[in-house]
Amino acid sequence: MSNMATTATVPELPAVPEGAKVYFKNLKSGASVTSPVKVEMAVDNMKVDTAGPVVAASGHYHIFIDAEDSLSSGTMVPKDSTHLHYGKGQTEAEVKLAPGTHKLTLQFADGLHRSYGSKLAKTVSVNVKK
């Protein structure tokens, strides 16, 4: 019985509201940029919040560098050099990238860093000038 009580304390992943989407406000696929790359992140029909509490219709941003196009819904976002976390509710970031072409994915996740899946992910390819 104690196992059931333990698992019940983890809230369900909130549903993605109708019309919700994430996007880069200032980056278009194929853009030429300089490093560090200024990234402006945006979400429609959801609220940006800090990591921690799981609140319906809210979450925070993660940027994947040359990694997945999205993580499956409910998958915990790893914390490493290619998966950047913005759990303080940041909506802008500067990302250092080497010259060349890079794939950047914006992934929205809940307060426990669980991905909202491909519905709340956006990928662009940028060319970093030397």
Side-chain angles (χ1 to χ4, degrees):
M1 286 299 255
S2 64
N3 277 352
M4 277 176 56
T6 310
T7 55
T9 60
V10 178
E12 290 288 314
L13 181 71
V16 175
E18 193 67 37
K21 67 175 187 168
V22 296
Y23 52 96
F24 294 101
K25 279 178 23 181
N26 66 326
L27 294 178
K28 300 266 184 269
S29 217
S32 286
V33 296
T34 54
S35 185
V37 180
K38 183 178 182 189
V39 179
E40 295 174 14
M41 304 170 272
V43 65
D44 289 347
N45 293 347
M46 291 191 74
K47 184 174 162 272
V48 177
D49 202 352
T50 56
V54 175
V55 179
S58 79
H60 62 278
Y61 300 106
H62 300 82
I63 295 176
F64 303 169
I65 301 169
D66 298 324
E68 307 88 350
D69 284 343
S70 71
L71 290 175
S72 301
S73 187
T75 302
M76 185 83 66
V77 176
K79 192 163 192 165
D80 56 34
S81 62
T82 60
H83 298 86
L84 310 180
H85 288 244
Y86 297 95
K88 293 184 179 141
Q90 302 97 312
T91 57
E92 291 187 358
E94 284 202 348
V95 179
K96 289 184 176 154
L97 296 172
T101 301
H102 295 279
K103 179 173 83 168
L104 301 178
T105 297
L106 187 59
Q107 176 77 68
F108 210 60
D110 77 353
L112 299 176
H113 308 282
R114 294 178 299 185
S115 168
Y116 279 115
S118 60
K119 280 195 240 174
L120 287 181
K122 175 68 177 169
T123 300
V124 296
S125 176
V126 296
N127 183 40
V128 179
K129 295 180 267 190
K130 290 185 169 121

